[in-house]
Amino acid sequence: MAPLHFPEQKVMTYCVGMCVDDGLVFLSDTRTNAGVDHVSAARKMAVFEQPGERVLVLLAAGNLALTQAVTHLLAAPADPSKPTLYNAANMAEAARIVGDAVREVHKRDALSLAEFSVDFNCSFILGGQIGTQAPRLFMIYAAGNFVESTRVSPYFQIGESKYGKPIIDRVITPTTPLDEVSKCALISMDSTLRSNLSVGLPLDLLVYEKDSLRVTRFASLDNDSEYFQMIHRTWGERLRQIFGEIPNPSWTDSADVPRRPREQASTVPRLVIGDLPCPEAPAQTLAQTDRGATQQ
Amino acid sequence: MAPLHFPEQKVMTYCVGMCVDDGLVFLSDTRTNAGVDHVSAARKMAVFEQPGERVLVLLAAGNLALTQAVTHLLAAPADPSKPTLYNAANMAEAARIVGDAVREVHKRDALSLAEFSVDFNCSFILGGQIGTQAPRLFMIYAAGNFVESTRVSPYFQIGESKYGKPIIDRVITPTTPLDEVSKCALISMDSTLRSNLSVGLPLDLLVYEKDSLRVTRFASLDNDSEYFQMIHRTWGERLRQIFGEIPNPSWTDSADVPRRPREQASTVPRLVIGDLPCPEAPAQTLAQTDRGATQQ
């Protein structure tokens, strides 16, 4: 197997799609890189729209050559007799069409990539509404298989998903209004941008209002977006403020704390080498009184 | 290469070590798992202490058999003539001793693990103070090499580090007081626990006060820790509160927004298949006035 001779353009990316009672929200960044000295921008959102009949939105993460090959296949199918995203009968069939395109690209490219030790790395979020059916949201894997979102977990992330996951887990439910879902997606993106260089502006934000059957709200957010700048500034400030307001820990002599069921677990995990004297110095531990923990 | 016949006990873990002007803070969880049906607990913190002379704290992430093998070697060195963590002249030498132990375990175990397709996966955080020298903090990789923290980035994380990184990036500087550093570590852990099942209670928290040269503050935090429960409850509540206070986006007709330098980038990324009519429906975009963005 040959070594990696040249860098691949990677969509490190952060994309999130959310499906709530009022509709769908899609947010993607545009950073691509093939190593830190080759940073560029590419859009990772593609919209398939027939106003009045259907809106489908596709977000992509992974190797840019692969994700673009999939999009090319979807936009110009090799076999025109097969169903396309513009005539799929329902969203599950649309997800199958995307999965089939991924498998076709795999058949064509995977072996050649493997010869250069490049993974077949791509994943997709597909959401939308067709006619009078309910809006639905799917995640499609590199193997072409896919899962649908549920009311228990009404969102999918692809790419650098971990930084921005805690805030989504804390605020999003199926009944959250669309504007709050959009705000949450942008805060989640802001936390990711702050902590990971492989994700970058501008952002594509598309908000689909249920039953509109057309793209009614779309924004490309760059450094000149007042709203995103306000979120960036305010969220950081308010986080530091509530951080400051939460009481600091207070420490007390271990002897003052009532013994607990798993007493052994609370001792300092000291390691002793050979015949060194075992140190027995008592350490302070966290105060367990209500007063100590909540007022200060 | 044989397939993986049995699950390995993995320390998926979240550990963080922070080095500030007032001292060091170490926090580790205790969750280990070998698949979701084999979840257990193991301590990932080890303390090497000679009261009045030195305190060294080691945090471990990765394959539990490997990290424990390293700790065993450190506690009972094969060659007693070589320096140990109890007589290393300085913290950099201590980091080399840990790195050498990792390499010895690699020599012994890596081939056998490879036959079962198990990665040589382990990493460590080592921090402490020796005599009158300054407290220092290191991260040691599976290859046995290591890096030291700097004032620009005064912390290291190992294991599931991404969920809890944004809050650290926002609040920790070298001048942050120890109590606030501890609070930040616990909030960072709380975000990780909320979003990742492979990290779990109880937590080991050790706060080292500079020049104390002994363990003065240690707590094992379980569900019965009032302070951690307060942080868990309050942080989630306050996050949702400031989320609600940040204005929602307001939308306006695209024509009302002044044209921007990269005009092309702001159009909806519609894809057209074949000779379908290109949809040209205008979409709303985010309002760009100060009023729209900051009052609502």
Side-chain angles (χ1 to χ4, degrees), chain B residues 16 23 32 41 44 47 137 157 185 191 219:
Chain B
V16 57
T32 77
K44 301 156 190 178
V47 178
L137 186 71
Q157 304 168 290
S191 299

Side-chain angles (χ1 to χ4, degrees), chain A residues 47 49 86 160 162 169 183 195 216 220 226-227 238 243 245-247 260 269-271 284 288, chain B residues 47 49 86 160 162 169 183 195 216 218 220 226-227 238 243 245-247 260 269-271 284 288:
Chain A
V47 178
E49 177 187 25
Y86 276 107
E160 283 292 350
K162 295 184 178 184
D169 285 336
K183 184 170 68 174
S195 290
T216 56
S220 174
E226 286 172 15
Y227 185 70
R238 299 300 310 274
F243 177 81
E245 287 168 8
I246 286 186
R260 305 185 298 150
R270 291 183 172 92
L271 284 197
Q284 285 194 313
Q288 280 284 43
Chain B
V47 178
E49 177 188 24
Y86 276 107
E160 284 292 349
K162 295 184 178 184
D169 285 336
K183 183 170 68 173
S195 291
T216 56
F218 175 82
S220 174
E226 285 171 15
Y227 184 71
R238 299 302 309 276
F243 177 80
E245 287 168 6
I246 287 186
R260 304 186 298 149
R270 290 183 172 93
L271 284 197
Q284 287 194 313
Q288 279 284 42

Side-chain angles (χ1 to χ4, degrees), chain B residues 59-74:
Chain B
L59 307 177
N63 181 300
L64 185 61
L66 291 176
T67 59
Q68 288 192 344
V70 169
T71 318
H72 296 160
L73 267 184
L74 292 171

